[in-house]
Structure formats: structure tokens, C-alpha cells
Amino acid sequence: MKEYGSLCKGAFFALLLVDLALSLQPHATVDAMYPPEVQAWDFAVHAAMYAALAGLGCMAFVSRDPGAWRGRLVAALALACLGAVLELLQATPVVARSCSLSDALHNTAGAFAGAFLAPARFLRPSAAFRGRIPGRPES
């Protein structure tokens, strides 16, 4: 199970770096790399990116116990805040992109969808059951 948790953590941090790189690309780079047909789907990219981040974050860091909804909520809110901060950073002269409320809302919607739609069986085992083998008494 540790390998699975490590894989989820690695995938989460890798996708987080991709999100940071894509979000902070300067305007000229975005226009040069992505044609208008791709840029028209910007809202879907925002929602999908944050849904994947939230799902992976929950699988890597939220334990499967009765209070798991709190961990999911914290993950979604943290990613929504990150998305809002990245939108504000896009308005800086270095990045020179538009700071869009619509993009921030799509980030938030994706984060909540990913956090609460991630199947519970893929969350980390709760602390009470970690390391125990079902049917065997504790030693």
C-alpha cells in the first residue's frame, strides 16, 4: 500500500508543477504554443486540471475514515485558493495574462468535483487499520 501512496504523492506533485508552469506562462508564449481552437477550451482545461489535482491529493493525503469529508473539503479549498492566487499572479507584468474570475471559478468547481468524486476505496487506509491484517489478533 505504501507504493500506491507514494505513486499518488508523486503524481500529485508532478501535476502541481505542470499546473504552475502552465498557469504562469507569459501571454506571448501561450499565443505561440496554443492555437485559438485550443484556447477556446480553456475553461475545461481549468476544471479538469483541478479535478485531477484534487483527486490525486485526496488519494495521497486523505485517510479513509468517518471524517474523510473534512480532508476532502480542506483539499478542495486549498486548491481553490491556489487557483485564485495563480489567477492573480497572471495579472503581473511578467506574465501579462488576464486575471479571470471565470477561470478561478472553473478551478474551484474542478477542485470540489475531484475531491468529492474520488472513490473512498482509493483514499489512504485510516490510522486505526494501518499495518493490521484482517482476522489476525494484534501482537
Side-chain angles (χ1 to χ4, degrees), residues 4 10 14 19 25 36 52 54 69 72 84 86 92 104 123-126 129:
Y4 175 72
D19 179 45
Q25 281 183 329
W69 68 271
R72 291 175 186 252
L86 289 175
T92 61
L123 300 180
R124 293 178 340 151
S126 66
F129 296 106

Side-chain angles (χ1 to χ4, degrees), residues 62-100:
V62 176
S63 63
R64 186 180 346 149
D65 58 15
W69 68 271
R70 287 185 203 99
R72 291 175 186 252
L73 179 63
V74 168
L77 289 172
L79 287 168
C81 290
L82 172 70
V85 167
L86 289 175
E87 282 301 315
L88 291 172
L89 288 174
Q90 287 180 357
T92 61
V94 174
V95 180
R97 287 173 50 191
S98 64
C99 175
S100 167

Side-chain angles (χ1 to χ4, degrees), residues 6 18 46 50 56-59 77 95 103 106-108 111 115 125 129:
S6 298
V18 168
H46 281 269
Y50 280 81
L56 284 169
C58 286
M59 288 189 283
L77 289 172
V95 180
D103 286 350
H106 284 102
N107 294 344
T108 301
F129 296 106

Side-chain angles (χ1 to χ4, degrees), residues 18 20 29 35 42 45 53 68 80 84-85 103 105 119-121 134 137:
V18 168
L20 292 171
T29 306
D42 180 57
V45 172
L53 274 169
V85 167
D103 286 350
L105 291 175
R121 68 178 178 210

Side-chain angles (χ1 to χ4, degrees), residues 13-14 23-24 47 50 61 63 74 76 80 94 116 120 122-123 126 130:
F13 287 115
S23 296
L24 298 177
Y50 280 81
F61 302 109
S63 63
V74 168
V94 174
F116 286 98
F122 293 128
L123 300 180
S126 66
R130 250 181 249 139

